[in-house]
Amino acid sequence: VIDNSLGIIKASLKLNNIETKISIEEDVNMYIYVSELKQVLVNIIKNAKDAIIERNIENGWIHIEFKVDKHHYIINIEDNAGGIEKEYINQVFDPYFSTKSKNGTGLGLYMSKMIIDEHFNGLLVVKNSENGAKFSIKIKK
Ligand SMILES: Nc1ncnc2c1ncn2[C@@H]1O[C@H](COP(=O)(O)OP(=O)(O)O)[C@@H](O)[C@H]1O
Ligand SMILES: [Mg+2]
């Protein structure tokens, strides 16, 4: 699913010299809504790409990590675009919140959170890492 999601926007990532890395701790079979998870991943990856381009990050990268713990599947998506400004990090999941004056709908993360929370009985959160934004999807096994 991760490969597939990256594939959807591979061309524009390549065009902008953005490196991607996937690390899978353990390959597992999940019984999930594939297209919905794909939609969420594409939203998050696109936002990372937008941030890297908008801020003119030279060696932009997006790293995706899949892990499993006792009760959850965890997907982390981190970029090196510098993160989300503190003053609105709590608003990024609100409907219509966007800092992209014309090109943003502000619905991507709102919908993503709804999908993860309601259809996957999971959690979608974000924090700033030392590199940029780090989104974390946690799905109950
Ligand atoms: N990886 C990221 N780095 C920095 N800011 C981000 C990142 N992802 C999301 N954001 C912020 O969250 C806002 C909301 O994202 P989203 O709901 O996808 O709406 P949109 O992409 O249409 O603006 C973005 O406008 C941006 O300000
Ligand atoms: Mg978006």
Side-chain angles (χ1 to χ4, degrees):
V1 177
I2 294 171
D3 266 339
N4 212 298
S5 308
L6 271 174
I8 294 172
I9 41 179
K10 198 163 81 187
S12 83
L13 292 172
K14 211 171 175 184
L15 200 71
N16 289 287
N17 266 322
I18 297 170
E19 181 221 339
T20 56
K21 192 176 97 185
I22 304 176
S23 62
I24 310 278
E25 187 187 83
E26 192 184 329
D27 220 348
V28 295
N29 289 312
M30 294 168 70
Y31 297 91
I32 53 157
Y33 303 102
V34 172
S35 64
E36 298 205 331
L37 181 58
K38 224 187 282 180
Q39 199 185 325
V40 170
L41 290 171
V42 168
N43 278 334
I44 295 172
I45 297 163
K46 269 193 183 156
N47 281 341
K49 184 203 74 175
D50 288 346
I52 289 168
I53 295 171
E54 196 180 283
R55 296 172 182 173
N56 296 309
I57 307 296
E58 257 178 40
N59 299 302
W61 53 252
I62 302 169
H63 292 173
I64 305 174
E65 176 189 39
F66 178 82
K67 298 195 295 190
V68 185
D69 73 14
K70 205 169 170 198
H71 302 291
H72 306 92
Y73 303 113
I74 300 158
I75 306 172
N76 294 318
I77 304 108
E78 184 184 9
D79 63 59
N80 70 336
I84 299 167
E85 274 168 62
K86 260 205 197 115
E87 56 204 270
Y88 54 73
I89 195 161
N90 293 318
Q91 296 172 58
V92 294
F93 296 108
D94 291 351
Y96 308 113
F97 178 83
S98 177
T99 54
K100 300 163 196 171
S101 45
K102 264 188 191 165
N103 314 313
T105 62
L107 289 174
L109 289 179
Y110 170 69
M111 282 177 14
S112 299
K113 195 170 175 65
M114 240 170 38
I115 291 172
I116 298 298
D117 287 4
E118 286 170 25
H119 295 188
F120 289 85
N121 191 16
L123 267 180
L124 172 61
V125 294
V126 66
K127 61 178 185 183
N128 286 323
S129 71
E130 58 188 33
N131 305 299
K134 185 171 182 179
F135 285 84
S136 194
I137 300 169
K138 214 167 174 182
I139 300 171
K140 274 218 182 89
K141 273 186 180 170

